[in-house]
Amino acid sequence: MNNYYQKEIETASPEEIRAIQNAKIVHQVAHVYANVKYYRDLMDAKGVKPEDIKSVDDICKLPFLSKADLREAYPYGLLGMPLSECVRIHSTSGTTGKRVVAFYTQHDIDLWDDCVARAIVAAGGTKEDVCQIAYGFGLFTGGAGLNGGSHKVGCLTLPMSSGNTERQIAFMRDLGATILCCTPSYAAYIGETLKEMGLTPDDIQLKAGIFGAEPWTEEMRRDIEKSLGIKAYDIYGLTETSGPGVAFECSEQTGMHINEDHFYAEIIDPNTLEPLPYGSKGELVFTSLDKEAFPLLRYRTRDICILNRCKCGCGRTFVKMCKPMGRSDDMLIIRGVNVFPSQIETVLLEQGYTPNYRIELDRVNNTDTFDIYVEMSPEQFGDTIKEVATKEKELASAMKTMLGINPKMHLVAPKTIERSEGKAVRVIDKRKLHD
Ligand code: DLL
């Protein structure tokens, strides 16, 4: 059986991969400098010209990009192609302030689909498979990304989107789904529901799962593999770099191969911003080598990670990243959705509350619980229980509009949320997200 989607490139020698990267980076920097004023200004400010970048060894001369730049340049400031050449946008969750909008030409979609197709084939997928996609469809990249990859492999694709779990299981059984793609927490929930419905893994035909978009542990992998009777593979990516498929796990299940012919990865010290050698723990930075419409150079992901180039038993030569080990910013991933505490603060202030709040997160039955405790003002505190309940509901609905997910709101008495003498501790995360 062919284990590769594009064997020649996936098993190319490190020298061959380098040569591809070197050729692409020269072209990409010229493209960005010519077409993206925002980045040209950053390069000019640093005194770097496109001619200074002759190979990927020179990447360290280029300025970094961060989420703050994306916000400043919103919506079109980092666009590398005329809008008339773009065919799609995707976006991260969150409304005002924190939104990231990524643009794609047809060429970009084709490359993205290839990256995801490699992931599906690495998980054992072929055109004989039935691929059930239970990532969200819409602006989120999960549904569309896996859908495109599944088509490229030639799988029969079920674009289910997330939710309606009993229907997911009914389709899975009726249509003989063999590969499930969703967040790991949703996979675990599907496993539990299967059991509650009195079914076992023998009642379904799944053989593999491709799970990502949020942190998950080896323990969770074992649980999911057992409850669904499958082999569970990790997949990584972010909206800014296209979406899922920047890196994917192979049969060895010991880290994710980065699609290095499309993305150049660096690890930096998040404090000094100095590049670190392979094997060091630091922040992952990506340069997209051939994306046209949203060609980010040296984008700081804020994911803490380790890269290594050990020989892999699967035969692939692409560098491997470990599971992300945390973040170098305060972003939380709750039920697969990216949430910044500052978004919560914005809603509270807009709705006339004090910014005295606490977020509590836990994982119960493989689903994230999300509680926000907010102090009432002394005037609000006089309200009846019924009035308070109505206010909690209104606040939850405003949060849902901002964040895309529903927290449980708790309005509490004035001065009951502990004050901190130093940096406020706003988040209590009881989930065990990392090994
Ligand atoms: O989560 C893209 C994606 C969709 C990846 C489906 C995999 C599968 P964003 O919503 O922009 O994009 O969130 C990106 O999610 O910086 C990581 O912090 C986190 N993340 C993504 N994949 C993984 C993973 C999509 N496999 C942010 N393990 C990233 C841990 C992950 N964290």
Side-chain angles (χ1 to χ4, degrees):
M1 196 179 75
N2 180 14
N3 295 318
Y4 310 102
Y5 175 67
Q6 289 165 329
K7 182 168 186 198
E8 234 166 74
I9 182 75
E10 291 179 72
T11 61
S13 70
E15 296 72 38
E16 286 170 318
I17 294 171
R18 261 281 141 145
I20 294 171
Q21 292 178 327
N22 288 344
K24 285 189 177 180
I25 190 67
V26 171
H27 181 266
Q28 184 71 322
V29 171
H31 164 59
V32 170
Y33 194 82
N35 297 300
V36 184
K37 180 179 179 303
Y38 188 94
Y39 199 78
R40 178 166 64 242
D41 289 347
L42 291 181
M43 281 176 66
D44 287 346
K46 212 166 179 248
V48 194
K49 292 280 168 231
E51 311 77 85
D52 298 329
I53 312 300
K54 298 189 173 67
S55 74
V56 282
D57 290 333
D58 295 323
I59 276 186
C60 58
K61 297 178 185 163
L62 291 169
F64 289 104
L65 278 174
S66 66
K67 246 195 181 57
D69 292 303
L70 268 54
R71 281 203 295 275
E72 203 179 316
Y74 174 87
Y76 300 127
L78 286 160
L79 196 59
M81 293 290 279
L83 268 183
S84 57
E85 295 301 313
C86 297
V87 297
R88 176 102 63 83
I89 69 156
H90 282 283
S91 174
T92 56
S93 51
T95 48
T96 46
K98 296 287 180 185
R99 189 187 306 162
V100 168
V101 180
F103 298 83
Y104 306 72
T105 59
Q106 187 56 49
H107 157 94
D108 296 334
I109 299 272
D110 286 341
L111 297 183
W112 182 21
D113 289 349
D114 279 343
C115 288
V116 178
R118 288 178 188 171
I120 295 175
V121 174
T126 71
K127 66 190 289 294
E128 308 305 324
D129 280 294
V130 179
C131 190
Q132 178 158 348
I133 298 164
Y135 284 110
F137 278 71
L139 285 172
F140 178 55
T141 55
L146 270 297
N147 199 72
S150 174
H151 278 214
K152 279 252 168 151
V153 176
C155 302
L156 174 60
T157 309
L158 306 183
M160 299 288 295
S161 204
S162 53
N164 207 335
T165 310
E166 296 207 353
R167 192 183 65 175
Q168 299 270 0
I169 292 173
F171 263 82
M172 190 181 281
R173 296 185 73 198
D174 295 348
L175 299 172
T178 50
I179 300 178
L180 173 66
C181 307
C182 60
T183 60
S185 40
Y186 193 47
Y189 184 66
I190 294 177
E192 261 168 43
T193 310
L194 189 75
K195 195 169 170 195
E196 276 165 22
M197 288 166 74
L199 300 169
T200 73
D202 290 338
D203 296 306
I204 53 174
Q205 288 171 46
L206 283 186
K207 62 175 189 187
I210 303 177
F211 307 131
E214 63 181 3
W216 54 309
T217 59
E218 288 302 323
E219 188 188 346
M220 204 164 162
R221 189 206 301 267
R222 283 190 294 276
D223 285 352
I224 296 171
E225 290 190 332
K226 199 161 154 232
S227 71
L228 292 172
I230 59 171
K231 202 160 164 177
Y233 297 86
D234 206 349
I235 185 166
Y236 170 89
L238 49 159
T239 313
E240 295 88 323
T241 58
S242 285
V246 170
F248 60 95
E249 234 175 18
C250 62
S251 51
E252 301 297 300
Q253 294 179 307
T254 52
M256 294 177 269
H257 289 285
I258 295 175
N259 278 312
E260 280 188 284
D261 53 332
H262 300 302
F263 301 100
Y264 182 79
E266 294 172 85
I267 291 284
I268 61 159
D269 178 323
N271 300 313
T272 65
L273 305 185
E274 282 305 312
L276 299 173
Y278 285 151
S280 320
K281 185 170 161 180
E283 186 183 322
L284 197 49
V285 172
F286 283 112
T287 292
S288 64
L289 294 169
D290 44 18
K291 270 165 50 158
E292 300 176 329
F294 204 57
L296 301 190
L297 304 181
R298 294 199 100 194
Y299 182 68
R300 293 185 58 184
T301 64
R302 297 293 188 164
D303 288 317
I304 300 295
C305 197
I306 299 174
L307 297 180
N308 81 69
R309 200 180 273 289
C310 302
K311 204 168 174 344
C312 185
C314 76
R316 283 179 187 76
T317 44
F318 289 157
V319 70
K320 276 162 102 168
M321 60 179 271
C322 69
K323 275 181 178 296
M325 302 158 92
R327 305 257 322 159
S328 68
D329 63 5
D330 59 356
M331 186 179 95
L332 303 162
I333 304 183
I334 309 170
R335 295 178 211 139
V337 175
N338 305 345
V339 172
F340 288 89
S342 55
Q343 291 173 291
I344 291 170
E345 213 161 300
T346 304
V347 175
L348 293 179
L349 293 172
E350 271 172 15
Q351 304 281 322
Y353 291 88
T354 63
N356 293 318
Y357 68 97
R358 191 176 69 240
I359 303 167
E360 280 192 21
L361 302 168
D362 205 345
R363 194 163 275 179
V364 179
N365 297 332
N366 290 308
T367 304
D368 291 338
T369 59
F370 177 21
D371 292 81
I372 306 177
Y373 295 82
V374 185
E375 273 183 17
M376 288 182 272
S377 61
E379 303 78 60
Q380 291 164 331
F381 190 46
D383 290 350
T384 63
I385 292 179
K386 202 170 157 204
E387 282 165 345
V388 170
T390 307
K391 283 192 172 143
E392 284 176 340
K393 252 191 168 160
E394 284 167 4
L395 207 44
S397 148
M399 290 289 174
K400 163 102 196 198
T401 307
M402 172 65 103
L403 310 172
I405 51 169
N406 237 327
K408 189 161 179 8
M409 296 301 313
H410 308 264
L411 288 173
V412 297
K415 303 252 179 304
T416 49
I417 290 184
E418 206 180 319
R419 301 294 192 271
S420 156
E421 291 182 356
K423 235 169 133 78
V425 182
R426 301 243 183 258
V427 183
I428 299 176
D429 196 342
K430 299 182 190 154
R431 302 172 297 174
K432 187 180 164 288
L433 295 182
H434 305 283
D435 283 309

